[in-house]
């Protein structure tokens, strides 16, 4: 049964990769716009956004589903990676902004005439790409070292990560940080010499997103299948037993925490040029809570489930915010409650759950209650009562 499930997952990943990597870009590039089979540029851009969220969901699942660390600040690392890529994209605008100055428009608005020192290296794409992984990784390393060294776990770890992302959002909302304030970065024009407004560039970014998603899945699949993955699940189930077995659980948790942060940062770096904006609202606590809902809806501890959950929930969000914009948060909360109560294993575990219910309620009974004959109770022999002579002798 387990081998069939593995084969089904493998074939599902292969088919999904073929559709996402070959079919959809091909229909976008080689079919006329009036055709029924044509995939619009807007749809390609939207799917790329969903897949970036799917990568973030895998990073949350690596922490929560496999290690038992409920991180409520994962979108902080997602936004940090996006900001690092956004700084490079802002440098590529050059003097094509509204003020026609060689520095970003918001710096001109704040009264700056020269570029701040920490902005200057971001005209180099390799440096920006390095910072996409380095900054989220260093933040996660410092925070995780202090938290795990103090043996903070459970709900206390979740609260601290939520406080971390809230502090980060407040910091980036400040104009004196020189990171765009509440407006953030926008109006991007070029990426490595390619015009971001061209459909071919957006299609290339979409393909890069699919490849990153596939690479992240394969990496996490391999990692969870090794001895390291077994220790991960053991920490999730009973960390004290792992400690008594001689393993330094803090080192394992720190490695997973940093790896998940780097994965989220890479997703943010691909998210920004496709969406066209990055601001502090992407690192607020409610965004990280949404990521937790994605994993719960899809099925934590499965790797495939979080991607399905991220795509499904964000597709529902795109519909709900158009049809019922004031009720979206109610829809999200109701979805999380229903999944928690009736679908504890998420969408991925739903077929197995339905089969279990079917076997429980619809399987024929071996013995019908109508054909069972009552079994007579055994007769109990009464002891003879003692005679009067015997009683008198005693």
């Amino acid at each position: 049964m387990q081998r069939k499930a593995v084969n089904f997952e493998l074939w599902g990943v292969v088919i999904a990769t073929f559709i996402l990597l070959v079919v959809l870009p091909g229909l976008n590039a080689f079919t006329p716009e009036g055709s029924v089979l044509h995939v619009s540029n807007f749809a390609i851009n939207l799917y790329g956004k969903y897949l970036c969220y799917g990568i973030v969901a895998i990073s949350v699942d690596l922490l929560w589903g496999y290690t038992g660390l409920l991180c409520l600040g994962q979108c902080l690392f997602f936004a940090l990676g996006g900001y690092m890529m956004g700084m490079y994209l802002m440098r590529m605008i050059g003097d094509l902004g509204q003020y026609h100055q060689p520095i970003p428009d918001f710096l001109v608005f704040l009264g700056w005439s020269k570029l701040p020192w920490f902005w200057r290296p971001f005209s180099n794409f390799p440096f920006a790409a390095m910072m996409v992984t380095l900054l989220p990784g260093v933040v996660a390393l410092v925070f995780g070292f202090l938290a795990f060294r103090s043996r903070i776990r459970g709900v206390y770890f979740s609260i601290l990560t939520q406080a971390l992302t809230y502090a980060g959002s407040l910091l980036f909302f400040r104009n004196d940080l020189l990171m765009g304030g509440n407006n953030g970065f926008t109006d991007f024009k070029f990426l490595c010499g390619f015009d971001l407004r061209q459909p071919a560039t957006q299609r290339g970014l979409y393909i890069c997103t699919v490849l990153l998603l596939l690479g992240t899945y394969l990496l996490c699949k391999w990692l969870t299948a090794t001895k390291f993955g077994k220790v991960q699940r053991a920490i999730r189930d009973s960390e004290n037993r792992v400690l008594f077995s001689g393993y330094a659980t803090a080192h394992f948790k720190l490695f997973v925490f940093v790896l998940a942060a780097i994965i989220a940062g890479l997703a943010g770096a691909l998210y920004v040029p496709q969406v066209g904006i990055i601001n502090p609202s992407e690192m607020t606590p409610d965004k990280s809570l949404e990521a937790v809902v994605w994993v719960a809806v899809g099925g934590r501890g499965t790797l495939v489930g979080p991607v399905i959950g991220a795509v499904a929930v964000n597709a529902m969000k795109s519909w709900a915010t158009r049809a019922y914009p004031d009720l979206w948060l109610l829809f999200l909360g109701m979805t999380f409650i229903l999944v928690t109560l009736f679908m504890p294993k998420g969408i991925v575990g739903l077929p197995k759950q339905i089969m279990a219910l079917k076997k429980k309620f619809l399987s024929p009974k071996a013995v019908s209650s109508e054909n069972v004959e009552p079994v007579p109770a055994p007769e109990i022999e009464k002891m003879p009562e003692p005679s009067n002579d015997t009683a008198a002798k005693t």
Side-chain angles (χ1 to χ4, degrees):
M1 186 69 181
Q2 187 176 2
R3 182 175 297 178
K4 289 183 179 179
V6 171
N7 291 335
F8 181 78
E9 179 182 347
L10 177 62
W11 279 107
V13 171
V14 171
I15 294 172
T17 303
F18 178 75
I19 293 174
L20 293 173
L21 196 59
V22 178
V23 176
L24 292 182
L27 293 177
N28 172 256
F30 302 113
T31 56
E33 292 187 4
S35 174
V36 180
L37 299 177
H38 179 69
V39 177
S40 65
N41 297 327
F42 173 79
I44 285 292
N45 190 266
L46 188 64
Y47 296 156
K49 173 184 172 182
Y50 290 167
L51 295 181
C52 288
Y53 286 148
I55 298 170
V56 178
I58 290 180
S59 69
V60 174
D61 187 46
L62 190 65
L63 287 168
W64 185 31
Y66 285 92
T67 320
L69 297 172
L70 179 56
C71 178
L72 299 181
Q74 198 65 10
C75 282
L76 170 66
F77 308 118
F78 173 78
L80 289 177
Y83 264 99
M84 295 300 99
M85 180 57 68
M87 292 177 74
Y88 167 77
L89 295 175
M90 293 296 288
R91 294 287 291 119
M92 292 299 101
I93 295 176
D95 57 356
L96 299 177
Q98 297 295 326
Y99 294 103
H100 301 288
Q101 298 292 326
I103 61 176
D105 286 342
F106 72 90
L107 289 176
V108 179
F109 180 78
L110 293 174
W112 285 74
S113 59
K114 294 182 180 180
L115 200 65
W117 64 269
F118 60 90
W119 272 85
R120 293 170 188 169
F122 282 92
S123 58
N124 188 0
F125 179 77
F127 179 82
M130 180 187 69
M131 291 301 296
V132 163
T133 58
L134 186 61
L135 182 60
V138 169
V139 173
L141 179 65
V142 174
F143 177 83
F145 175 78
L146 296 176
F148 300 137
R149 183 187 179 188
S150 304
R151 296 189 179 182
I152 296 173
R153 63 178 75 173
V155 66
Y156 302 104
F157 177 78
S158 302
I159 293 172
L160 278 180
T161 54
Q162 189 175 32
L164 177 67
T165 188
Y166 183 62
S169 63
L170 292 180
L171 180 64
F172 275 78
F173 270 118
R174 296 175 60 90
N175 286 324
D176 54 6
L177 188 64
L178 304 180
M179 296 295 286
N182 59 341
N183 294 321
F185 303 151
T186 187
D187 195 27
F188 307 130
K189 295 184 179 351
F190 300 102
L191 173 63
C192 296
F194 296 97
D195 191 350
L196 289 173
R197 293 161 291 186
Q198 294 298 320
T201 306
Q202 291 295 324
R203 190 162 52 245
L205 288 170
Y206 166 80
I207 292 174
C208 291
T209 306
V210 176
L211 292 175
L212 177 62
L213 176 62
L214 179 62
T216 303
Y217 168 80
L218 294 176
L219 173 64
C220 295
K221 191 71 175 177
W222 168 79
L223 185 66
T224 55
T226 60
K227 182 180 178 181
F228 182 91
K230 294 180 180 179
V231 177
Q232 264 187 282
R233 291 186 287 275
I235 293 173
R236 176 195 63 190
D237 297 335
S238 179
E239 185 175 352
N240 288 332
R241 291 186 178 183
V242 180
L243 281 169
F244 294 151
S245 300
Y247 289 94
T249 58
H251 296 166
F252 285 88
K253 293 192 293 185
L254 182 60
F255 176 80
V256 175
F257 190 58
V258 173
L259 177 62
I262 292 174
I263 291 173
L266 290 171
L270 283 173
Y271 172 87
V272 170
Q274 295 183 85
V275 177
I277 188 172
I278 180 68
N279 55 46
S281 64
E282 295 295 337
M283 65 174 70
T284 51
D286 60 294
K287 291 291 185 179
S288 296
L289 290 173
E290 282 189 27
V292 172
V293 175
W294 304 339
V295 177
V297 170
R300 66 189 184 106
T302 59
L303 293 180
V304 174
V307 180
I308 297 174
V311 173
V313 172
N314 282 283
M316 184 176 69
K317 181 179 181 180
S318 298
W319 167 80
T321 50
R322 291 196 308 268
Y324 308 99
D326 297 332
L327 301 178
W328 158 240
L329 291 179
L330 292 177
F331 288 151
L332 183 66
M334 289 174 59
T335 301
F336 185 67
I337 293 173
L338 291 175
V339 167
T340 303
L341 293 177
F342 303 107
M343 295 169 54
K345 296 182 179 179
I347 296 175
V348 172
L350 191 58
K352 187 180 294 185
Q353 189 176 354
I354 292 175
M355 292 298 295
L357 291 174
K358 183 178 179 182
K359 186 180 294 185
K360 180 178 180 180
F361 293 106
L362 300 181
S363 59
K365 296 182 179 180
V367 180
S368 178
S369 58
E370 298 177 355
N371 299 329
V372 176
E373 297 182 358
V375 179
E379 296 182 359
I380 300 176
E381 297 182 358
K382 295 182 178 180
M383 297 294 292
E385 296 181 357
S387 60
N388 293 334
D389 297 338
T390 306
K393 291 179 180 180
T394 57

